[in-house]
Amino acid sequence: SAVISQKPSRDICQRGTSLTIQCQVDSQVTMMFWYRQQPGQSLTLIATANQGSEATYESGFVIDKFPISRPNLTFSTLTVSNMSPEDSSIYLCSVSPEASYNEQFFGPGTRLTVL
Amino acid sequence: KQDVTQIPAALSVPEGENLVLNCSFTDSAIYNLQWFRQDPGKGLTSLLLIQSSQREQTSGRLNASLDKSSGRSTLYIAASQPGDSATYLCAVKGGSYIPTFGRGTSLIVHP
């Protein structure tokens, strides 16, 4: 299994500012995933982050808006840039360790409100 | 492109009932299927993982089945309790190892 922590757990931000969300895993993993969950909706994949390479973004998400860092095999950050109220969501970090038969594990999420 | 549908979207039942939540998917070439529970404003908790070669998995009062050929999975909850109230999500993983999620079933179990 994998235990994932995220910081911050929640934040309230002003329009036009940026927030960086941290994700720490208790074991080394190849792939880390960042998801967004808008109110009342299911999960939408933002990007997949592999250590040592550029993140791969899904359609509708761009690096300028959601820059991602992956400096090592246990840590990643997602920045939400130039925020607007439409960015108010829960942001979730996820991993899928090969050693756990690719079971998907999620962090507790970061609840972001943009005013 | 994999599409995952969960039925019903919402369910409200009295305590003690046995429940069946449904998940259907369009592409049967899957690697695994996973059921999650999500409490309001929280992350996802993995409940059961079924590999493509398996037919079912059980954990306590939960039983999940998988029929790849028909593109269906069911989550059976026995003797439901108020603490089971949550949203239940189904996720299907294919060759890309990136899961596709359904929209979830919102369950309320009232005393």
Side-chain angles (χ1 to χ4, degrees):
Chain A
S1 66
V3 177
I4 305 171
S5 59
Q6 284 185 237
K7 289 182 184 179
S9 58
R10 58 175 59 216
D11 208 341
I12 300 173
C13 300
Q14 296 297 321
R15 180 195 299 261
T17 62
S18 298
L19 176 72
T20 295
I21 302 168
Q22 299 179 7
C23 176
Q24 180 75 52
V25 188
D26 70 342
S27 57
Q28 294 184 341
V29 292
T30 303
M31 298 171 72
M32 294 180 79
F33 306 88
W34 286 99
Y35 286 86
R36 179 174 76 181
Q37 187 176 33
Q38 294 176 303
Q41 303 295 316
S42 189
L43 279 72
T44 301
L45 180 64
I46 298 171
T48 304
N50 291 337
Q51 192 267 337
S53 63
E54 293 284 336
T56 301
Y57 289 83
E58 297 297 301
S59 176
F61 297 96
V62 295
I63 188 170
D64 290 346
K65 175 67 175 177
F66 298 101
I68 289 172
S69 78
R70 182 80 202 273
N72 58 52
L73 291 172
T74 64
F75 187 78
S76 179
T77 66
L78 169 74
T79 299
V80 186
S81 304
N82 188 25
M83 289 185 284
S84 67
E86 292 72 33
D87 294 319
S88 298
S89 297
I90 298 175
Y91 291 85
L92 295 150
C93 173
S94 179
V95 301
S96 181
E98 295 87 347
S100 298
Y101 302 98
N102 292 110
E103 183 173 1
Q104 202 83 12
F105 298 96
F106 283 84
T110 295
R111 190 166 204 169
L112 172 62
T113 301
V114 184
L115 302 178
Chain B
K1 177 181 177 291
Q2 179 76 271
D3 287 319
V4 179
T5 303
Q6 291 189 244
I7 295 173
L11 190 59
S12 180
V13 299
E15 181 176 5
E17 281 206 3
N18 299 322
L19 308 172
V20 176
L21 307 183
N22 297 291
C23 171
S24 62
F25 47 95
T26 53
D27 185 351
S28 62
I30 67 170
Y31 180 76
N32 63 35
L33 183 145
Q34 197 167 350
W35 283 93
F36 295 89
R37 168 191 173 131
Q38 185 176 30
D39 293 291
K42 305 293 185 182
L44 277 68
T45 300
S46 177
L47 297 174
L48 290 165
L49 172 70
I50 310 177
Q51 302 295 343
S52 62
S53 59
Q54 298 174 325
R55 293 300 297 257
E56 67 176 350
Q57 286 287 342
T58 298
S59 176
R61 295 183 293 108
L62 304 179
N63 175 276
S65 66
L66 173 64
D67 184 342
K68 265 200 333 176
S69 61
S70 66
R72 293 181 183 177
S73 176
T74 61
L75 178 66
Y76 177 81
I77 303 176
S80 59
Q81 302 171 358
D84 294 330
S85 299
T87 296
Y88 291 81
L89 291 154
C90 165
V92 176
K93 189 174 287 188
S96 69
Y97 298 102
I98 296 174
T100 301
F101 285 85
R103 296 174 66 88
T105 293
S106 177
L107 172 65
I108 296 175
V109 181
H110 47 87

